[in-house]
Amino acid sequence: DQQVKQNSPSLSVQEGRISILNCDYTNSMFDYFLWYKKYPAEGPTFLISISSIKDKNEDGRFTVFLNKSAKHLSLHIVPSQPGDSAVYFCAASESGGANNLFFGTGTRLTVIP
Amino acid sequence: EADIYQTPRYLVIGTGKKITLECSQTMGHDKMYWYQQDPGMELHLIHYSYGVNSTEKGDLSSESTVSRIRTEHFPLTLESARPSHTSQYLCASSEAHRGYTFGSGTRLTVV
């Protein structure tokens, strides 16, 4: 049973517009959430994270929002750039668990110039 | 500059061969992980280690084995490769459980 879900396998956005990537989770014990970005033939690279004590974390063009009651988080990229085209993975972990990250299936973002 | 290295990047090998995928990190991290990813699928944890001489199986059953004799080295071995082992294998390490650093991955094809 998948604990972290990314229901949109792909997303296309015009350059300069906002990209919104969504992620849902089922385990209420998750207390730390991360977004990773992955280019083809490369490993994922850390993008941004958020702790469950917050509902928003911002880093430059990237903002992550967390809605604990809905068990939902989203990544906003604004303005989107062609270099943002990649697969984005949502991940979650719980403090008291095995300290392992659980990943979603990823969303492929294409930013159209 | 990468602090975690995986070799080879690409490997095509015949059925029945023994292979070892290398993973080394220079950050002194105690925790290391192996993930397997098929196209369009999530990353599945197949092995992890919390330190030297510590190895555990992950969420996804795998016929591979791992060893952790040195902190910086976490190789993965398949004794007899099969086409079902074709996948991308990603190694990661972390200082704490809050976020991993991934290697570039090994794309394995078994023919």
Side-chain angles (χ1 to χ4, degrees):
Chain A
D1 185 32
Q2 204 173 334
Q3 299 188 59
V4 178
K5 300 177 184 179
Q6 294 176 256
N7 294 317
S8 298
S10 64
L11 174 69
S12 292
V13 172
Q14 285 292 133
E15 180 178 3
R17 298 291 184 98
I18 185 171
S19 296
I20 300 176
L21 296 93
N22 293 304
C23 178
D24 297 290
Y25 61 95
T26 57
N27 187 345
S28 58
M29 300 300 292
F30 285 149
D31 63 353
Y32 198 74
F33 305 89
L34 307 93
W35 284 94
Y36 282 83
K37 177 179 179 181
K38 185 180 185 296
Y39 291 115
E42 293 184 14
T45 55
F46 170 75
L47 191 59
I48 192 169
S49 63
I50 188 166
S51 166
S52 60
I53 62 173
K54 293 186 173 182
D55 55 17
K56 176 183 174 181
N57 188 27
E58 190 173 352
D59 183 4
R61 297 185 296 113
F62 303 91
T63 303
V64 56
F65 295 92
L66 176 62
N67 182 334
K68 289 186 289 293
S69 61
K71 294 191 180 68
H72 176 84
L73 66 155
S74 60
L75 174 68
H76 293 211
I77 307 172
V78 58
S80 300
Q81 299 173 354
D84 295 330
S85 297
V87 177
Y88 289 79
F89 288 95
C90 173
S93 70
E94 55 174 294
S95 302
N99 296 337
N100 296 328
L101 286 181
F102 293 86
F103 286 86
T105 53
T107 297
R108 180 177 301 278
L109 173 66
T110 302
V111 180
I112 304 164
Chain B
E1 184 178 341
D3 296 312
I4 182 163
Y5 305 91
Q6 286 187 248
T7 57
R9 288 291 301 274
Y10 302 92
L11 178 62
V12 180
I13 200 164
T15 298
K17 298 290 185 181
K18 177 181 178 179
I19 56 171
T20 296
L21 308 185
E22 301 289 348
C23 177
S24 296
Q25 50 99 1
T26 58
M27 297 171 282
H29 288 169
D30 285 328
K31 298 180 175 65
M32 295 189 74
Y33 312 84
W34 276 102
Y35 281 85
Q36 183 175 341
Q37 189 204 8
D38 295 321
M41 303 296 288
E42 67 264 43
L43 281 73
H44 284 291
L45 180 67
I46 52 174
H47 297 284
Y48 61 97
S49 167
Y50 285 171
V52 171
N53 294 326
S54 154
T55 61
E56 300 287 346
K57 289 191 178 293
D59 309 310
L60 180 69
S61 175
S62 174
E63 293 165 345
S64 58
T65 59
V66 291
S67 63
R68 190 87 183 277
I69 299 172
R70 302 197 316 264
T71 298
E72 61 271 21
H73 196 212
F74 191 39
L76 180 144
T77 299
L78 277 165
E79 291 292 334
S80 179
R82 295 206 302 267
S84 61
H85 296 140
T86 296
S87 189
Q88 183 177 36
Y89 293 84
L90 292 159
C91 180
S93 71
S94 69
E95 187 172 8
H97 76 284
R98 306 288 196 188
Y100 298 172
T101 301
F102 281 89
S104 298
T106 294
R107 187 166 293 281
L108 173 66
T109 302
V110 183
V111 297

